[in-house]
Amino acid sequence: MLFLILSVICSVTVGVIFKIARKYQVSATQIVAYNYVFALALCYLFFSLDLKVLDASSPWGVFISLGILLPVVFLFLANSIKHMGIVKTDVAQRLSLIISILGAWLFFGEQFSGLKLTALLFGFPAIILILDKPTENKENKWIYPTLVLLGFGVIDLLFKQIALTSTLPFTTSLFVLFSIALVIMILFIAYEILFRKAKMDFKSIIFGGLVGIFNFGNILFYLKAHQAFAQNPSTVFAGMNMGVIMIGSLVGIFIFKEKVTKLNITGLLLALIAVIFIVISQLK
């Protein structure tokens, strides 16, 4: 469970950094690009990379899919926030748990225990209640949150597939993923500079570096958690989503002084109960 907890903490920290960066009007595209630069540097410095193990039998289809999806889904996220608001976008992102859980059952043959099913019964309404806040945005462009929901669900399943590739070091997999994602983001930035007359911002390097450090930790510990729970992928899927919601909400309440309703508090309690059931199911 330690890897899962560390992954949750890193994920919430990334969100906090982006929240602070918005106040300085820093380009999100540039932050994401520099994030991959720093993540690649961390891979190179802290791990003994052996790229020679990569060959034709490596899961290149999964690598390329994830390398493209990671930055592209983030752009869908940005558009969803712009057109539908951050609340509906958060709901869509966390409800991607549905895709992940169904995938664990359909593609990985996982059988659900009574405790795990009970956790999910508490978890799904918890997600909705925690993120239930009124929004003034009346514009209905549901294509963006729909793409966010589907995108994050597919990303979860692809990470599980990589974690099951025991013949390939996960550090090598991370390096390949970050490299592909960086190439994609360079193309996006080139487009913005050439056609939208965007300018490079020094502050994006600082925020990008911070995001890169914690994003690296998030994905690293997430893959380690999947390896530790190889026979129970839904434990990682559910624990990660509910843990991020619970800790993220507490950070918003006590650090950023965000207002919460009684429904939000009820959702936090349900999420806590769900996480407890997940832990008990794993211990058994």
Side-chain angles (χ1 to χ4, degrees):
M1 294 300 294
L2 177 61
F3 293 136
L4 190 55
I5 293 171
L6 290 173
S7 181
V8 168
I9 292 173
C10 287
S11 178
V12 172
T13 303
V14 168
V16 170
I17 295 170
F18 273 116
K19 190 176 183 69
I20 295 173
R22 285 199 297 268
K23 296 181 180 180
Y24 293 91
Q25 298 180 337
V26 183
S27 167
T29 305
Q30 293 182 29
I31 290 177
V32 175
Y34 283 118
N35 142 70
Y36 290 123
V37 172
F38 279 84
L40 280 169
L42 288 171
C43 277
Y44 182 79
L45 291 174
F46 288 95
F47 300 112
S48 298
L49 295 173
D50 184 12
L51 299 180
K52 293 180 181 179
V53 299
L54 295 169
D55 54 30
S57 63
S58 300
W60 288 106
V62 179
F63 284 152
I64 294 173
S65 298
L66 260 178
I68 295 174
L69 277 175
L70 285 172
V72 169
V73 170
F74 174 80
L75 295 179
F76 288 150
L77 192 77
N79 276 286
S80 181
I81 292 173
K82 177 181 178 180
H83 295 290
M84 297 300 296
I86 195 168
V87 174
K88 289 185 174 65
T89 302
D90 280 342
V91 171
Q93 182 179 353
R94 295 311 165 191
L95 285 179
S96 66
L97 174 64
I98 296 173
I99 307 295
S100 304
I101 296 298
L102 290 176
W105 174 56
L106 292 173
F107 302 115
F108 300 111
E110 180 176 346
Q111 300 298 318
F112 293 151
S113 65
L115 286 170
K116 198 168 292 183
L117 287 172
T118 303
L120 293 178
L121 289 175
F122 279 103
F124 288 134
I127 293 174
I128 297 172
L129 290 174
I130 289 173
L131 299 175
D132 179 55
K133 295 180 181 178
T135 177
E136 297 178 357
N137 194 329
K138 305 298 183 181
E139 194 173 7
N140 288 315
K141 292 192 176 182
W142 285 102
I143 184 63
Y144 293 116
T146 300
L147 290 172
V148 168
L149 188 151
L150 294 174
F152 276 100
V154 173
I155 284 172
D156 269 349
L157 293 174
L158 291 175
F159 269 125
K160 170 60 182 175
Q161 189 63 46
I162 287 182
L164 291 176
T165 308
S166 57
T167 58
L168 197 64
F170 61 85
T171 52
T172 302
S173 298
L174 282 180
F175 189 84
V176 173
L177 290 177
F178 291 151
S179 298
I180 297 173
L182 177 58
V183 171
I184 298 299
M185 290 311 302
I186 289 175
L187 293 176
F188 275 113
I189 290 178
Y191 171 80
E192 288 189 347
I193 292 176
L194 293 174
F195 298 99
R196 295 190 174 182
K197 308 303 180 182
K199 295 181 179 180
M200 300 301 292
D201 188 349
F202 177 76
K203 293 191 294 293
S204 62
I205 300 178
I206 299 175
F207 284 107
L210 292 173
V211 170
I213 292 171
F214 287 100
N215 188 36
F216 173 79
N218 173 34
I219 296 177
L220 174 64
F221 292 128
Y222 189 66
L223 286 175
K224 280 182 170 290
H226 265 306
Q227 290 176 327
F229 296 114
Q231 303 303 317
N232 296 279
S234 67
T235 298
V236 182
F237 294 146
M240 182 67 183
N241 279 272
M242 295 172 196
V244 167
I245 288 172
M246 186 168 61
I247 296 178
S249 297
L250 292 175
V251 168
I253 294 169
F254 292 106
I255 295 181
F256 293 104
K257 308 300 181 183
E258 295 180 356
K259 295 181 179 180
V260 293
T261 65
K262 292 181 179 179
L263 288 178
N264 300 150
I265 296 175
T266 302
L268 282 171
L269 294 175
L270 290 178
L272 180 59
I273 294 172
V275 171
I276 291 173
F277 273 111
I278 291 172
V279 173
I280 295 174
S281 70
Q282 187 59 40
L283 292 176
K284 288 181 175 297

